């Protein structure tokens, strides 16, 4: 697909993908996509990333049910960043059970956790 | 500084940094920081990135005047993404003269440019 050729995948074949909540505007997480993940995200209308740790496509929510419905896909000027506007199923994007992965804020030289755990990871992943 | 040790810089010593407009909530750009860039961003209260093309610290706005005043710095769960809430001086984050770098949206299989050029790059950079 021609639109995929505009994406500047890096030396590992990946592009950074930011997921932003379509309602609140909050940035929830940053993950990575290879060409297949981005193509599948567009086809499916749900976020599909590439898991660097597992080295495979990762349909977000495949285990947790916390699927991200994609409202729009954006690309930056030099093609190496993608922005997804998404609706987060279950209201939890982070594997720690928090609303977003970006749950720490730098305050007086220390990272403060600002967001509560909404659901125990053991309950999310059935461990 | 201890807080910097929580950041998982990659094999190139870099971490992805997202800049989000503190007023509109729009994601303006994604760039990269090394340890020195992140330390300097926190110290200065203005975004300092690491330019991969020039291989040096890049105080955003150093040529254009389009400085980013940093309101807050966030870190994600696995420490490999940073989120800056910023106020964009001049209202232009992109070197193309647009408000944001993420100015293309995927519509019917094509990237559509949704944001106008607010200022000619030649006028910004004095070429």
């Amino acid at each position: 697909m021609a639109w995929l050729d505009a994406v500047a995948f890096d030396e590992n074949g990946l592009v950074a993908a930011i997921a932003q909540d379509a309602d609140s505007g909050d940035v929830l997480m940053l993950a990575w996509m290879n060409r297949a993940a981005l193509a599948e995200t567009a086809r499916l209308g749900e976020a599909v990333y590439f898991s660097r740790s597992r080295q495979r496509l990762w349909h977000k929510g495949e285990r947790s049910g916390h699927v991200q419905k994609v409202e729009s896909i954006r690309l930056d000027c030099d093609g190496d960043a993608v922005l997804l506007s998404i609706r987060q199923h279950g209201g939890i994007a982070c594997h720690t059970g928090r609303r977003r992965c970006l749950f720490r804020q730098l305050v007086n030289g220390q990272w403060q956790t600002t967001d509560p755990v909404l659901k125990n990871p053991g309950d999310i992943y059935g461990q």
Side-chain angles (χ1 to χ4, degrees), chain A:
Chain A
M1 285 170 286
W3 65 273
L4 284 166
D5 294 333
V7 181
F9 296 99
D10 70 10
E11 67 275 16
N12 298 314
L14 301 176
V15 67
I18 304 159
Q20 182 177 29
D21 190 288
D23 295 315
S24 69
D26 286 341
V27 176
L28 303 183
M29 57 182 281
L30 180 132
W32 297 86
M33 292 181 174
N34 63 4
R35 190 177 170 103
L38 183 51
E40 187 66 358
T41 296
R43 189 190 70 79
L44 198 62
E46 295 182 354
V48 178
Y49 302 107
F50 182 80
S51 168
R52 293 179 300 173
S53 57
R54 289 170 288 170
Q55 288 286 307
R56 67 164 177 84
L57 290 191
W58 160 40
H59 181 186
K60 171 76 179 165
E62 61 193 10
R63 287 182 61 206
S64 63
H66 297 155
V67 167
Q68 296 178 334
K69 177 116 177 65
V70 175
E71 300 286 327
S72 71
I73 302 176
R74 289 187 163 274
L75 184 65
D76 78 350
C77 49
D78 51 5
D80 66 356
V82 165
L83 175 65
L84 307 179
S85 178
I86 61 110
R87 292 185 197 275
Q88 178 63 61
H89 197 83
I92 295 176
C94 187
H95 75 288
T96 65
R98 293 181 176 87
R99 187 170 64 86
R100 56 178 169 182
C101 297
L102 289 143
F103 59 75
R104 290 183 283 184
Q105 183 174 344
L106 188 63
V107 181
N108 297 326
Q110 298 204 319
W111 296 111
Q112 288 190 1
T113 295
T114 57
D115 297 22
V117 173
L118 300 177
K119 192 169 179 180
N120 190 302
D123 294 334
I124 296 173
Y125 297 102
Q127 286 152 352

